[in-house]
Amino acid sequence: MGKKLTKSSTNVVLTGTLAGIAEYFGIDPTIVRVIYVFLSFFFIGAPVLLYILLAIVIPRGPRNADRYGHNNPYYGRNNNWNEPKRERKKADKIDDDDWSDF
């Protein structure tokens, strides 16, 4: 059985449509997104309508309910919710008599 074109469940920005297309063709999703942005500038409005159509037509891929589509390493590396809070840096005291420039 061949590959199926589905929305990405691991690299979601808006709906996962462009990342799903990139996964289908085996290329980086960022390249597909950049190409989409350039096409949006050149073909004023048509790629937006095409994206909406593809978001409706392309079926959703398998989804992990616990990660909400954010299974790529970026979210794991930059997740600092469980880290202890650091104390804020104290501001330096300023002498009020040192405002001679004004």
Side-chain angles (χ1 to χ4, degrees):
M1 186 170 194
K3 293 191 286 186
K4 288 187 177 182
L5 178 60
T6 60
K7 293 179 188 173
S8 177
S9 60
T10 58
N11 198 346
V12 178
V13 172
L14 192 60
T15 63
T17 304
L18 295 176
I21 292 170
E23 289 173 1
Y24 182 77
F25 289 111
I27 57 176
D28 186 28
T30 305
I31 295 171
V32 174
R33 291 180 181 127
V34 169
I35 291 170
Y36 174 77
V37 169
F38 282 123
L39 289 176
S40 296
F41 285 126
F42 290 122
F43 299 112
I44 305 166
V48 175
L49 295 174
L50 179 64
Y51 183 85
I52 293 169
L53 178 70
L54 289 174
I56 293 170
V57 172
I58 296 176
R60 183 171 59 169
R63 185 172 286 245
N64 296 338
D66 59 340
R67 297 297 302 267
Y68 300 103
H70 299 292
N71 292 336
N72 62 19
Y74 172 80
Y75 292 101
R77 227 180 13 250
N78 294 317
N79 183 1
N80 58 3
W81 294 314
N82 297 328
E83 292 180 6
K85 299 289 183 193
R86 288 185 269 166
E87 188 174 327
R88 295 183 78 172
K89 183 179 176 182
K90 302 290 182 190
D92 295 331
K93 299 259 182 194
I94 297 177
D95 186 17
D96 288 336
D97 296 333
D98 194 25
W99 289 86
S100 61
D101 293 341
F102 296 106

